[in-house]
Amino acid sequence: MDRAAVFDVDGTLVDTNHLHVTTWWEAFRQAGHRVPMHAIHRAVGLGSTDLIAHLLGEDRDKEQDPRLSTAHTALYAQYFDRLPALQDAGRLLRRLHRNGWAVVLATSASGPELSALRRAIDADEAIAATAGSDDVEEGKPAPEPVAHALELAGVPAERAVFVGDTVWDMQAGSRAGVRCVAVLCGGIPRADLEQAGAGAVYDDPAHLLARLSDSPLA
C-alpha cells in the first residue's frame, strides 16, 4: 500500500468526547478545581498533561497532574465495555482498506483504553498500525503523532490524509504536511476546523463513507 489514511479515534470514530468532558470535569472537581465543561470540551484531544496545563495554567501545582490523570482514567474506564462507535466507522475503515489504503490510528489513548476503542470500532482487520500516546514524546497539536503514523505505514506525507475532529488534530496534520479532513461529530464548529487546516469537512464517518468517491480519500 502506497497511501495512508490516518485517523484520530476519540470523537472521530468513537462517540466519546462528551464522556471525556464529564470524566475530566469530575476529576477536576474531586481535586478542588472548578473548570467549565465548555472549556474542557475545547481541550479534548490533547494528551492528559497538555490538557491539564491548558485548563489550569502553567502556574498550577504540577505535582497534582498524575493524580488528576489517574482520576480521569479511572472514571472513564467505567465506560470501556460500552463505548459507542460512530455510525459506519468500522465500515469506513474496511472500505478504505479494500481500496488500497493503509489505515493507521493516531490517538492520545493507550493501553486498556485503546483496546476498548478498537473493540468499539470492530475493524481490526482493516487497521494496519496504531500510533498511541506511549509511542511519541509530544502529542497533538505537535506533528509527531501523525508523522509516527506515516512512519508505521511507510508512506510519505504527500500520499496521506489525516481525519480528525478537533482543532488540535487539524494543526497536527497540517504541521506534518498531510491533507486534513475534519468531521463535525466531535462537536467543534466547522469554521474552527477549517481555520485550523481542514481542507474538507463531513458530518461524521457515515457522511464521509457516503461521499467517499469525491472526497480526498477517493
Side-chain angles (χ1 to χ4, degrees):
M1 294 180 180
D2 64 350
R3 54 185 183 171
V6 182
F7 281 83
D8 171 63
V9 180
D10 284 299
T12 300
L13 297 172
V14 188
D15 193 10
T16 50
N17 279 9
H18 289 87
L19 291 176
H20 279 298
V21 171
T22 301
T23 50
W24 271 117
W25 177 85
E26 178 60 16
F28 285 126
R29 188 198 67 79
Q30 290 178 4
H33 300 289
R34 297 182 62 182
V35 182
M37 288 195 183
H38 70 83
I40 298 173
H41 181 217
R42 290 283 186 161
V44 168
L46 294 172
S48 293
T49 300
D50 291 335
L51 181 144
I52 294 167
H54 182 77
L55 293 169
L56 298 186
E58 291 298 333
D59 58 347
R60 71 193 185 283
D61 178 4
K62 295 179 183 178
E63 292 185 359
Q64 198 180 52
D65 287 6
R67 191 168 66 207
L68 283 166
S69 182
T70 298
H72 163 258
T73 299
L75 290 161
Y76 184 62
Q78 298 175 74
Y79 300 97
F80 279 1
D81 62 347
R82 55 192 187 279
L83 297 179
L86 286 152
Q87 183 180 352
D88 287 343
R91 286 184 62 203
L92 173 61
L93 300 192
R94 288 190 289 271
R95 173 72 66 80
L96 290 170
H97 175 69
R98 289 198 303 272
N99 289 356
W101 291 82
V103 176
V104 184
L105 306 182
T107 173
S108 58
S110 62
E113 178 183 346
L114 179 54
S115 296
L117 290 165
R118 290 186 64 144
R119 285 195 302 273
I121 299 166
D122 192 24
D124 273 355
E125 70 277 14
I127 299 170
T130 300
S133 61
D134 292 339
D135 303 315
V136 297
E137 303 233 341
E138 285 189 277
K140 304 165 195 170
E144 189 178 353
V146 179
H148 182 56
L150 298 181
E151 290 175 7
L152 293 173
V155 172
E158 60 269 19
R159 297 286 296 165
V161 176
F162 179 50
V163 184
D165 69 296
T166 68
V167 167
W168 319 115
D169 290 329
M170 299 302 102
Q171 291 176 348
S174 296
R175 291 168 181 172
V178 304
R179 291 174 292 171
C180 293
V181 170
V183 287
L184 299 173
C185 42
I188 301 301
R190 176 188 295 267
D192 292 5
L193 295 166
E194 290 176 338
Q195 185 176 6
V201 182
Y202 299 88
D203 293 339
D204 54 21
H207 186 209
L208 176 54
L209 178 61
R211 298 288 303 275
L212 199 60
S213 62
D214 60 0
S215 78
L217 288 157

